[in-house]
Amino acid sequence: MRLCCGQVLRCDVKPSPNLGLPKANGHLDSDTSTPASTPTPTPSPTPSPTPTPTPTPTLLGFESMLLPDTLDVLRYRWDESCHKFSFTISAEVPYTMGHAIPTAVDRLLTRFKLRTPDIAHWCVHSGGKKVLDSVIYSLGLSRHDVRHTLASLHSHGNMSSASFLWTYHSLVQKEGHTCLPGQHGVFITMGPGAGIECALFRF
């Protein structure tokens, strides 16, 4: 009899799946015989809106203009004492460029039947404050029109004729979402010669 009872007491009693006992994660809590807590599912984060991509610009045309009578205004010269080239920038540069740039821009825009007010974006060589003031005045622009050029000049200084690329980069990074398909823009740069280079692009 004792043997029988001992065998019964030592039996592992397993709850039947049909008894309706509460389960959690397939087992009972060993201490309280109550279901273990079920983890609350984490809701999926709401996806952030996808930013509007900047349209890819298309280059439509170019305009080059040489000013042979201004060779001494903006030029390289060989410095024998240092055995290297030096870049000479005359105090006349702002006035020379301010006088000539409107002609180059007008030639370019006329070929595409456009006028200055039709241009939404101006990316100008950041050739210094006086040069930019002269360009603003001669083209009838506002400082807001060349804000990205002014920002480039403030952040990086005058990086020669390639600085218009930093101006364009500022436009795309800060206001690329506002560039609309069909809008026109103009690149303007200048260098030794003296020479002026312009390009018309469209988003």
Side-chain angles (χ1 to χ4, degrees):
M1 183 67 180
R2 289 181 180 177
L3 179 61
C4 293
C5 291
Q7 291 294 333
V8 171
L9 291 175
R10 286 196 297 270
C11 286
D12 294 329
V13 180
K14 298 182 180 179
S16 170
N18 298 324
L19 295 180
L21 295 177
K23 294 183 179 181
N25 295 331
H27 64 275
L28 295 176
D29 189 287
S30 59
D31 294 330
T32 60
S33 297
T34 57
S37 58
T38 304
T40 304
T42 304
S44 301
T46 303
S48 57
T50 303
T52 303
T54 303
T56 302
T58 300
L59 288 172
L60 302 179
F62 302 87
E63 182 66 31
S64 300
M65 186 176 183
L66 287 176
L67 309 173
D69 296 334
T70 62
L71 183 62
D72 292 332
V73 172
L74 199 65
R75 69 183 180 95
Y76 284 98
R77 65 179 180 84
W78 178 254
D79 190 336
E80 188 65 37
S81 62
C82 299
H83 299 283
K84 66 176 184 179
F85 282 102
S86 296
F87 190 48
T88 302
I89 303 177
S90 168
E92 298 297 318
V93 167
Y95 312 103
T96 301
M97 294 303 170
H99 177 74
I101 283 177
T103 301
V105 171
D106 184 66
R107 289 178 183 174
L108 176 63
L109 298 185
T110 298
R111 296 208 311 268
F112 295 90
K113 300 180 180 180
L114 296 171
R115 298 178 303 126
T116 301
D118 298 322
I119 305 304
H121 309 287
W122 295 89
C123 299
V124 185
H125 170 195
S126 55
K129 182 180 182 300
K130 288 185 177 180
V131 171
L132 289 178
D133 287 342
S134 182
V135 171
I136 290 171
Y137 177 79
S138 62
L139 289 177
L141 304 178
S142 67
R143 295 182 70 82
H144 179 76
D145 292 328
V146 295
R147 61 195 178 279
H148 296 293
T149 299
L150 293 172
S152 175
L153 178 63
H154 177 76
S155 300
H156 308 292
N158 180 5
M159 296 178 292
S160 192
S161 55
S163 61
F164 78 94
L165 294 173
W166 273 261
T167 299
Y168 176 73
H169 181 265
S170 176
L171 166 66
V172 172
Q173 289 293 312
K174 296 179 180 179
E175 300 181 22
H177 62 283
T178 67
C179 299
L180 303 177
Q183 287 183 334
H184 289 90
V186 169
F187 295 125
I188 301 175
T189 189
M190 58 205 78
I196 298 169
E197 295 286 343
C198 304
L200 177 67
F201 66 92
R202 181 179 61 209
F203 283 114

